[in-house]
Amino acid sequence: LLDSLLQEIHRRKRRRKMSFMKGISPIRRTTNYLNASPLVLKRRVKILTVNFNENEEEEHHKGARDFVFWNLPQVQYKNPNVQIVTFRNLTPSPFITCFLEDNSKILFDVDSQSNKEIMDRLVKTVGKSKELLEEEALASEAKSNPANFCRRLGFDRHCICEMPGQVPCPIMVPVPKHWRGKWWNQGHRYEEE
Amino acid sequence: AHKVQVPYFVFDNRLKAFFNHHQEFIASDPSNESKTGDVVVIQKIENMVQKEITHFISETMYKCGDVKDPISGEYVVGSRTRAQMKEIEELYGATGNFDYETAPERGRLAETQDFTDRPVYRKWHEFEKDDPYGIRN
């Protein structure tokens, strides 16, 4: 008993530092924050490019800088299949480019706009509308029905044979012959035992 | 054919942060204008001729050294346009600065003195014809 108590004290002293509080503004690294973005890009947007300058003195880039710092992780989290690239200190004015499926580009001149304005603008032009997002949320709920089988598709159980009380898997226990379709169709049901 | 490095973000589930990863593709250049350092947009080839060349360069976004601002259409260096830089130089009375207009096009020393366009290898034997892409350590 004494040994186990000592072990517990040791365990409490060797506490790991919480990895949550590391870095600048670690609120950006919470799932709640990442999910809070209203911007889910339409399917035809394949690449999103942000051009901005890092120099603090260039005030007209501040909105773009804030967008990249605060909102870009949110956008990438909600759109994992869109390539997001940032270009720093290339051009005097900040802008965002969206490359679409049919090889066309949409340029957003983002000079002197705050990051909230940029976000609203993107949601309005290339983002899925709120109603569409709600519909999709409903549809995805139906897909994640826990009553379904197939582990390959992400459900919990691979077959009904693993549930207690059901017929065991024929790999382990062979099924009675007269239950098999093969026996039935090959005419064995007419044989007299 | 050019080797194109494509950056993309990968989410770390524990740290809840995105980290930069790169993937390299070999893209063919139908216009033959791309040089090392250009920022390009590549697209997947539908009918592949060679197994290694999976993409082709559909668009050059920014040429290395001659960046054109897509909004204003002017040549740009960092946070200034070339015109602005020239104005500042004239105000200061600078002489002997690099003149973008009269300078020859980039890449003129490509095969004579600049051997960075093709991958370089180590040379272990001296042949009669000296290959500049082979380096003796």
Side-chain angles (χ1 to χ4, degrees), chain B residues 3-41:
Chain B
K3 206 185 239 186
V4 179
Q5 190 187 62
V6 170
Y8 61 99
F9 287 111
V10 166
F11 188 64
D12 187 310
N13 222 356
R14 271 266 174 106
L15 299 171
K16 307 274 188 291
F18 287 97
F19 291 94
N20 227 333
H21 281 229
H22 293 281
Q23 193 171 0
E24 288 181 348
F25 295 103
I26 299 179
S28 68
D29 188 12
S31 60
N32 264 325
E33 280 173 1
S34 299
K35 295 268 152 69
T36 321
D38 293 351
V39 178
V40 297
V41 179

Side-chain angles (χ1 to χ4, degrees), chain A residues 29 31 51 53 58 73 76-77 83-84 87 89-93 95 99 103 105 109, chain B residues 6-7 9 11 15-18 39 41 43 59 61-62 67 69-71 76 78-79:
Chain A
R29 294 201 291 112
T31 337
N51 268 277
N53 289 1
E58 295 183 57
Q76 178 79 102
Y77 188 77
Q83 184 191 6
I84 295 184
F87 292 103
N89 307 317
L90 261 188
T91 62
S93 55
F95 56 93
F99 289 84
N103 290 327
K105 283 199 278 190
D109 185 356
Chain B
V6 170
F9 287 111
F11 188 64
L15 299 171
K16 307 274 188 291
F18 287 97
V39 178
V41 179
Q43 221 187 314
E59 198 194 321
M61 279 176 71
Y62 312 115
V67 174
D69 187 6
I71 294 179
V76 135
S79 56

Side-chain angles (χ1 to χ4, degrees), chain B residues 37-50:
Chain B
D38 293 351
V39 178
V40 297
V41 179
I42 56 173
Q43 221 187 314
K44 198 154 190 175
I45 298 182
E46 265 145 57
N47 308 313
M48 280 201 289
V49 172
Q50 274 177 278

Side-chain angles (χ1 to χ4, degrees), chain B residues 19-127:
Chain B
F19 291 94
N20 227 333
H21 281 229
H22 293 281
Q23 193 171 0
E24 288 181 348
F25 295 103
I26 299 179
S28 68
D29 188 12
S31 60
N32 264 325
E33 280 173 1
S34 299
K35 295 268 152 69
T36 321
D38 293 351
V39 178
V40 297
V41 179
I42 56 173
Q43 221 187 314
K44 198 154 190 175
I45 298 182
E46 265 145 57
N47 308 313
M48 280 201 289
V49 172
Q50 274 177 278
K51 189 172 68 165
E52 291 86 18
I53 300 179
T54 47
H55 293 71
F56 72 96
I57 294 174
S58 63
E59 198 194 321
T60 310
M61 279 176 71
Y62 312 115
K63 254 180 120 9
C64 186
D66 303 321
V67 174
K68 217 176 191 184
D69 187 6
I71 294 179
S72 56
E74 297 167 16
Y75 282 107
V76 135
V77 177
S79 56
R80 293 203 184 109
T81 57
R82 281 187 191 170
Q84 279 177 335
M85 282 178 76
K86 201 165 184 189
E87 225 187 285
I88 293 170
E89 281 168 29
E90 277 169 28
L91 286 172
Y92 273 105
T95 52
N97 273 3
F98 184 77
D99 191 7
Y100 282 96
E101 267 112 67
T102 55
E105 263 222 35
R106 297 181 105 247
R108 66 190 171 90
L109 292 174
E111 257 138 63
T112 44
Q113 288 183 38
D114 169 30
F115 301 112
T116 53
D117 56 319
R118 263 189 273 158
V120 130
Y121 59 93
R122 277 176 75 170
K123 188 159 50 174
W124 299 105
H125 180 84
E126 289 203 12
F127 294 96

